[in-house]
Amino acid sequence: MQDKRKERIDRGVKVRSDTIYAISSMKEIMYLIGPRMGLVLFLLALPLVLPIYWQKVVSITAVYALLAVSFGFLSSYVGLVNLGGALFVGVGGYISGLLNSAYGLPLYISIPAATLLGALFCTLVLLPCLPLRGIYFAIVSFVYPLAAVRIISATGAFGGTDGIAGLDMIGSGYGSQYFIIVTLLLVTFGVSRLVSAEDIGLIFRGVKDNEQAIKASGLNLTMYKAVAVFIGALIGSFAGAWLAHLYGWVGMSLMATDFSILPLAATVVGGTSTIYGPLVGTLLLVPISEALRDFGTLRIVFYSVAMVFFVVFWTEGLLIYIKRKYEQFERWVRV
Amino acid sequence: MSVKTTDYSLLINNLMLFYENALAINNISLKIEEGKITGVFGANSAGKSSLMHTISGIILDMAKKEKMKGGERITWFGEMLFKGEDIINLPPHKRARLGIVLCPERRQIFSESSVLENLMIGSYLANSSQTKETLDFVFELFPELVKLKNREAGFLSGGEQQMLATGRALMAQPKLLLLDEPLLGLAPSVEQRLSRAIQDINKHTGITIIISEQYARPLFPIIDYGYLLENGGVVMEGTSKELMDNPDVIGAYFGI
């Protein structure tokens, strides 16, 4: 009886490009930067090749992608499963809207200000929940935007159910599209570098793995968690502020549950454990859900089926699978 | 196969186990005799736990989980005969029904249930008279547990937890009991106490027992036959006397 098994072997080009030989020839260089260049070129080409209607989708997709990157960063690298993405969006949007309408600040000041102030505010309100882990943090963070919506509609603050209308609008020309796309790329590569190459990224991953060991290493656990939430909230608040000026209107729908759940779905589909997974997931999910708009609420079903399929049968997610195929090949060997 | 398979409780032929490309068990063949205590000794990474997982079938679950995650693929080859029946691809719960019961490494008790509840969970495969009988036997074996009957199991000391885990495994009416590192992290006096209890189990019930352990010395007097593993392969085997008389073994595994 001859037993055989399938063996996974790293491709030669992968092995070479792990070392100094990475710069030995064009092939190795292309192997390394090819996928990233592909992503960059793909995103940069989008506004040029898409028809007008879909160009608007680009902006929305980029906003969701930013949220997904923020979610992926917090959940895969810090261990904080943050289902309160809507809080970041809402806070960022409302602050920018207020600054713009009540104080008359132009949007190129109100958006950055809202990004910073929103992130600070979100970090402060989430501070008491930071000792929580996993599902408990997820529940509590999920409740925040829901509570915020109730408070706004009950007290009538910030325009109550009507929201604040008449904000300065971001045009939908190439300028704004490229601005958000480039921002998305910078954020993605920046966060990816932060978690893989910087000291603080190492600490973040340590926080996810073992909190006790982090404390035993003399690191202030709450501080690092707060920094992580601040980074996540920066991204989310910017997305919210951008969205507010894209619509020219701020309202309770900025705290919609979509903003909390879609990043989770995108991460499930794209794959955890890289920052690019959530990004790729969003680039798939948002256009698909846009294309299914004709089906009305039925598209939720398609959506759910896709999610269940990935959770149950393909837990690794798309990007991890593609990455493995890119780096390794398989062959049969005799045992 | 010339060996009469029914003479042995468990017969393993040419077992190989891969974690992706890493070879964890390299062509191991074991003959576990009915009603005897067999020791499997080796350092960390020798393949003891992998072997226990493969015998108990847990490896099938692990493989499934890893496959879903897209992680390491676990593959195994070879033959594993339990009372003449090939069980290599049988899922773990079916193996437990056949009588192969694992007492897992690091005890793995249900820490939020009481001691008695822990024992009762183990007895799902037994009928009520067996349950009563075995429960009495467990309490006779480990009198400490009687007092702690209603205590939450998570608050037990390491030694008491190990007694509980062993007792729970006994409640499942094993024909082949797998004890994976039962002496892990125990004081020398408790080690003595437990190894005597293991011997008692074997003597009174005739259950075949396989023990894996790193530090062989406290178990040495109670085993009938031992295997020494190194890097996934069997480097030496023999009765306890033969192993004891071998100077290499003494130096390397018995810590003298």
Side-chain angles (χ1 to χ4, degrees):
Chain A
M1 192 174 63
Q2 269 304 345
D3 284 321
K4 281 182 171 180
R5 69 184 189 90
K6 241 179 181 177
E7 188 181 35
R8 280 183 190 147
I9 308 265
D10 282 359
R11 293 180 196 277
V13 61
K14 155 101 169 67
V15 177
R16 285 195 302 278
S17 54
D18 275 347
T19 64
I20 187 70
Y21 295 107
I23 48 170
S24 65
S25 79
M26 214 48 213
K27 195 181 165 201
E28 276 77 19
I29 295 174
M30 279 317 292
Y31 174 84
L32 281 179
I33 65 171
R36 291 165 180 84
M37 283 307 278
L39 180 72
V40 171
L41 291 177
F42 170 76
L43 284 175
L44 289 182
L46 276 182
L48 296 178
V49 296
L50 288 176
I52 294 292
Y53 169 74
W54 282 93
Q55 287 188 8
K56 285 182 184 150
V57 178
V58 169
S59 249
I60 306 289
T61 310
V63 165
Y64 274 115
L66 282 171
L67 289 173
V69 167
S70 157
F71 175 87
F73 163 64
L74 284 176
S75 68
S76 310
Y77 290 97
V78 199
L80 297 167
V81 182
N82 169 40
L83 290 183
L87 179 75
F88 297 167
V89 175
V91 169
Y94 267 105
I95 292 181
S96 189
L98 281 174
L99 291 178
N100 186 244
S101 69
Y103 299 98
L105 292 175
L107 54 83
Y108 53 82
I109 295 179
S110 72
I111 291 181
T115 305
L116 264 177
L117 292 175
L120 267 177
F121 178 81
C122 291
T123 313
L124 282 179
V125 295
L126 284 171
L127 211 52
C129 325
L130 289 183
L132 301 174
R133 277 179 68 83
I135 187 75
Y136 300 102
F137 185 82
I139 294 167
V140 174
S141 58
F142 186 66
V143 167
Y144 268 100
L146 300 181
V149 166
R150 295 288 162 206
I151 292 169
I152 289 172
S153 74
T155 60
F158 315 127
T161 41
D162 296 335
I164 306 166
L167 305 181
D168 291 353
M169 298 263 291
I170 297 167
S172 57
Y174 288 128
S176 75
Q177 287 187 50
Y178 276 114
F179 183 80
I180 187 82
I181 285 174
V182 170
T183 309
L184 172 63
L185 285 168
L186 288 178
V187 165
T188 309
F189 290 126
V191 170
S192 171
R193 187 180 163 81
L194 180 80
V195 293
S196 61
E198 302 290 332
D199 285 354
I200 198 167
L202 183 65
I203 298 172
F204 286 155
R205 280 178 282 145
V207 169
K208 187 194 178 192
D209 272 352
N210 193 331
E211 291 188 354
Q212 271 190 344
I214 285 290
K215 284 184 197 163
S217 309
L219 297 164
N220 185 341
L221 181 67
T222 313
M223 207 264 284
Y224 282 104
K225 276 185 168 180
V227 169
V229 169
F230 183 74
I231 295 171
L234 269 182
I235 303 170
S237 300
F238 170 77
W242 183 265
L243 213 51
H245 290 287
L246 196 67
Y247 294 143
W249 176 79
V250 168
M252 297 189 326
S253 62
L254 275 187
M255 303 240 188
T257 313
D258 293 31
F259 295 117
S260 307
I261 297 301
L262 194 125
L264 170 70
T267 307
V268 166
V269 171
T272 52
S273 79
T274 76
I275 287 295
Y276 303 102
L279 178 66
V280 170
T282 322
L283 294 182
L284 277 175
L285 280 182
V286 178
I288 286 176
S289 106
E290 205 57 39
L292 293 175
R293 200 168 269 276
D294 292 344
F295 291 93
T297 45
L298 203 62
R299 67 191 165 132
I300 302 291
V301 176
F302 290 104
Y303 214 64
S304 315
V305 169
M307 257 196 73
V308 169
F309 171 79
F310 272 97
V311 169
V312 177
F313 298 106
W314 203 357
T315 318
E316 57 177 334
L318 268 179
L319 202 76
I320 311 289
Y321 177 80
I322 295 170
K323 184 166 177 252
R324 201 175 63 229
K325 292 287 166 199
Y326 188 67
E327 288 178 349
Q328 296 179 316
F329 67 94
E330 294 188 336
R331 68 172 183 204
W332 287 99
V333 286
R334 236 179 249 148
V335 172
Chain B
M1 227 11 89
S2 57
V3 191
K4 248 179 78 198
T5 54
T6 42
D7 290 350
Y8 297 99
S9 169
L10 186 76
L11 202 61
I12 297 175
N13 290 320
N14 307 97
L15 182 70
M16 295 188 98
L17 178 75
F18 292 87
Y19 294 120
E20 203 56 69
N21 295 339
L23 184 57
I25 295 180
N26 186 3
N27 210 2
I28 281 183
S29 298
L30 301 184
K31 293 181 187 125
I32 310 295
E33 279 184 68
E34 189 77 57
K36 294 274 168 67
I37 303 181
T38 308
V40 178
F41 304 115
N44 296 100
S45 87
K48 300 183 307 296
S49 288
S50 295
L51 181 63
M52 292 307 234
H53 287 155
T54 316
I55 298 176
S56 66
I58 303 245
I59 202 78
L60 274 83
D61 276 5
M62 289 165 64
K64 212 164 151 192
K65 234 176 237 172
E66 280 293 315
K67 194 180 168 198
M68 271 177 53
K69 272 203 310 199
E72 288 185 333
R73 283 174 309 181
I74 303 175
T75 39
W76 54 89
F77 304 94
E79 207 180 17
M80 192 183 293
L81 301 169
F82 180 64
K83 310 223 184 256
E85 188 188 343
D86 195 358
I87 57 160
I88 190 85
N89 287 316
L90 211 58
H93 64 281
K94 288 197 178 151
R95 293 192 201 193
R97 272 182 215 162
L98 285 178
I100 303 179
V101 177
L102 173 75
C103 173
E105 193 179 346
R106 287 169 220 289
R107 335 210 217 276
Q108 313 276 1
I109 51 159
F110 301 103
S111 56
E112 289 182 16
S113 304
S114 75
V115 168
L116 193 62
E117 283 167 341
N118 263 280
L119 291 172
M120 294 318 278
I121 294 169
S123 69
Y124 260 73
L125 295 173
N127 60 38
S128 57
S129 70
Q130 280 173 329
T131 303
K132 208 180 155 318
E133 219 170 274
T134 320
L135 196 61
D136 290 342
F137 178 63
V138 170
F139 283 146
E140 192 183 315
L141 210 57
F142 305 117
E144 298 90 328
L145 294 182
V146 181
K147 275 183 289 176
L148 303 166
K149 231 194 291 194
N150 298 315
R151 180 81 69 84
E152 205 172 294
F155 291 115
L156 266 52
S157 73
E160 288 159 353
Q161 287 192 9
Q162 184 59 52
M163 292 173 194
L164 179 58
T166 314
R168 185 183 61 187
L170 277 178
M171 294 298 285
Q173 314 297 320
K175 296 190 179 74
L176 172 63
L177 179 62
L178 308 171
L179 299 172
D180 198 355
E181 306 216 2
L183 306 184
L184 192 75
L186 300 182
S189 66
V190 185
E191 277 181 355
Q192 291 277 320
R193 166 96 182 64
L194 257 164
S195 43
R196 237 178 288 126
I198 293 168
Q199 198 174 23
D200 284 348
I201 294 170
N202 174 259
K203 218 182 268 166
H204 286 104
T205 61
I207 296 171
T208 314
I209 299 178
I210 305 179
I211 310 177
S212 84
E213 192 61 55
Q214 301 191 29
Y215 184 52
R217 195 150 191 215
L219 292 174
F220 190 71
I222 68 165
I223 61 162
D224 295 299
Y225 201 81
Y227 291 88
L228 300 186
L229 302 188
E230 207 169 277
N231 296 328
V234 175
V235 286
M236 204 173 292
E237 61 178 286
T239 61
S240 58
K241 175 119 186 42
E242 284 165 6
L243 291 177
M244 184 63 148
D245 292 342
N246 188 318
D248 293 345
V249 176
I250 293 168
Y253 297 96
F254 295 95
I256 299 168

